[in-house]
Each structure stands twice: as C-alpha cells, then as structure tokens.
Amino acid sequence: MDKNLKSYRQSHMKASVASLYESQFAERVDSLIWDEFVKPWLFERLQTARDNGAQRYLDFACGTGRILKVGHNVFGNAQGIDISESMLSYAKQRVPAAHLHCLDVTRDDNSANEIGAFDCVTMFRFLRNAEPELRRDVLHWLAKHMNKNALLVVNNHGNTTSMLGFIQKLAFWLPDDERNLLSRQQTFDLLTEAGFSVESWDGYRILPSLFGRPILGRRLQTWAERSCRRLGLARFGGELVIVARRN
C-alpha cells in the first residue's frame, strides 16, 4: 500500500465517522445526485434482478444504510456488512429489519462464510475510499461469495475523466487519499480480474461542485445535469455506476 494513503480500516472505524457523514450528506451535491438520479436508477436495476430470480441481497460496506434501504424495499430481505459499529448503528435505525454484520471480511472469512452466498450485491463508495490492495481483496471475496451469474452493482464515486476527477488529480496539495481515483477502464479491469463481466454503466454528477455543494442551487443544477446527460456527457460523470455479472 502507498504509505501516503490512509488505511480504510482506520479511517472508517472512528466513532465520529457516521455522524459526520450523515450531517454532511444532505448539504452536499451527493444528496442531489442520489435523490434525483442514482436512487431511481438503482431501484430499477434491483427490481430487474429480483424479477429475474435473484433472492439473496447484500449491501457491502453498507455504511449508514442508504443503499441498503433501497435493496430491502426491493427484496424484502436485506443483509449489510460494514466494519464500523457507528455506521451500523445508523443503518439499524434506517432499516430495522435488515440483518447487519460488523465484519472485516478479508480478515474474518470464517464468520463471513456463515452468511452464505448472494444473488445480488451492491457496493457504493468503497472503491473510492479503499486502498488498492483492499479493493482487490474485497472484490475477490465478493466473487467467492456470490452465486454464478449473480449481479454486482458498483459506484466508483471517483471517475478520473470527470471534472471532479480532473481537478482532484491536479490538486497536488490534497492528501493522497483524496486523489485515490479510478478511471472507467481501471474500474472495469478490477472487476474483470476478480471474476466479473461488465454488462452496462452510466455516469452521473457531470457538473462540478463548489466545496461539495451544487454551484447552481439544487433545482437548477438538477435541470443542468439532466441536460448534460441528454447531450451524451454521461462518460464525464464523477460517479460511474456499473452493473457486472459474476462469471
């Protein structure tokens, strides 16, 4: 691991990480993109997976449960894995009926094996926040614990060909973990190497933000994002959402 990169395990197990994430989310452009674009996109993909026979659903690195709640609404039964007790406490409030596991799967595979295999898995933000070795280890773990032809839905949250990625790559004053980004092809290669086949992708968060907040205001920025997508600019989205199939 690059010695200048923060450890995902260390940064995400702090007691304050969940409350900080929850308090910042609503004010940032992340909320706009999630509510207006990614959430409906995800709901449709999970419904299709369910209609095609998927039953066992997992949200990996489920955090405070925002994605987990969508999965639970679709499948009626959801499981979440995270290494942070503080994150899981929020997830439990958001999705009380979900089965939550506080696990470091690459270090406690015996406990993880008891959970079984899955037909559909979501993983948002993890690739953006984890160091390269951990990314690879987790993707291999997921492939091992997913049924053949199971669906994996990933959001890399850090596309290097986006305006956000371009600025962050140039921002030499930022810490290395803030510039821990992946291109679309790098993300595809990671998935392929772990045993997945990419089926489709889409891009959101095309417009830049100002200190994480929408530069045009929520309503106008939503309209502008939709316009950019109609112009075929999805490949420049800061968030790439990817659908892959376990080989």
Side-chain angles (χ1 to χ4, degrees):
M1 182 181 75
D2 188 327
K3 64 182 180 180
N4 294 316
L5 284 178
K6 290 181 183 177
S7 163
Y8 177 89
R9 294 181 177 94
Q10 293 175 350
S11 63
H12 283 70
M13 292 181 73
K14 295 177 181 177
S16 61
V17 67
S19 59
L20 181 63
Y21 175 74
E22 282 290 293
S23 64
Q24 289 182 343
F25 183 84
E27 299 178 3
R28 298 172 67 88
V29 74
D30 307 59
S31 173
L32 179 156
I33 298 300
W34 167 248
D35 290 336
E36 301 293 336
F37 298 96
V38 179
K39 183 178 179 180
W41 176 93
L42 177 63
F43 187 79
E44 182 179 334
R45 297 306 178 282
L46 296 187
Q47 276 193 318
T48 299
R50 182 204 60 194
D51 293 345
N52 288 333
Q55 297 180 18
R56 301 201 74 233
Y57 165 76
L58 168 71
D59 185 25
F60 183 84
C62 65
T64 60
R66 191 168 283 106
I67 288 85
L68 180 70
K69 184 174 182 178
V70 177
H72 180 74
N73 288 340
V74 172
F75 289 96
N77 182 28
Q79 301 201 43
I81 291 177
D82 204 278
I83 61 170
S84 168
E85 289 280 9
S86 66
M87 287 284 199
L88 289 174
S89 67
Y90 276 85
K92 188 63 178 175
Q93 296 175 46
R94 183 168 273 136
V95 197
H99 302 283
L100 303 178
H101 311 273
C102 190
L103 277 175
D104 186 335
V105 297
T106 62
R107 292 181 175 177
D108 191 8
D109 200 35
N110 289 333
S111 295
N113 281 333
E114 298 175 3
I115 302 172
F118 296 92
D119 304 311
C120 183
V121 176
T122 49
M123 183 171 66
F124 280 41
R125 290 195 177 273
F126 179 81
L127 293 182
R128 171 69 174 87
N129 294 324
E131 57 268 34
E133 299 97 311
L134 188 57
R135 287 169 176 162
R136 290 190 292 270
D137 289 348
V138 163
L139 283 171
H140 280 279
W141 183 91
L142 285 175
K144 181 181 173 183
H145 293 83
M146 292 173 67
N147 295 316
K148 184 176 176 61
N149 294 321
L151 207 67
L152 175 64
V153 185
V154 176
N155 188 334
N156 81 348
H157 278 91
N159 176 23
T160 56
T161 55
S162 67
M163 180 67 71
L164 173 68
F166 178 72
I167 292 172
Q168 287 185 307
K169 279 294 185 182
L170 291 180
F172 61 86
W173 59 87
L174 288 175
D176 285 356
D177 55 291
E178 289 294 322
R179 293 180 283 136
N180 188 33
L181 310 176
L182 288 166
S183 70
R184 182 177 52 177
Q185 190 58 53
Q186 286 173 322
T187 309
F188 289 177
D189 289 346
L190 272 174
L191 292 167
T192 300
E193 193 269 334
F196 296 92
S197 297
V198 174
E199 289 194 343
S200 63
W201 64 273
D202 210 337
Y204 300 98
R205 195 171 177 172
I206 301 163
L207 295 175
S209 57
L210 183 63
F211 300 112
R213 290 171 172 76
I215 56 175
L216 303 176
R218 188 178 180 95
R219 181 176 297 181
L220 185 55
Q221 187 126 346
T222 299
W223 175 85
E225 284 281 341
R226 294 191 193 282
S227 298
C228 287
R229 286 177 50 74
R230 285 194 290 269
L231 291 172
L233 301 178
R235 70 183 64 188
F236 300 112
E239 298 185 26
L240 290 184
V241 284
I242 300 163
V243 178
R245 187 80 59 178
R246 195 262 199 209
N247 298 328

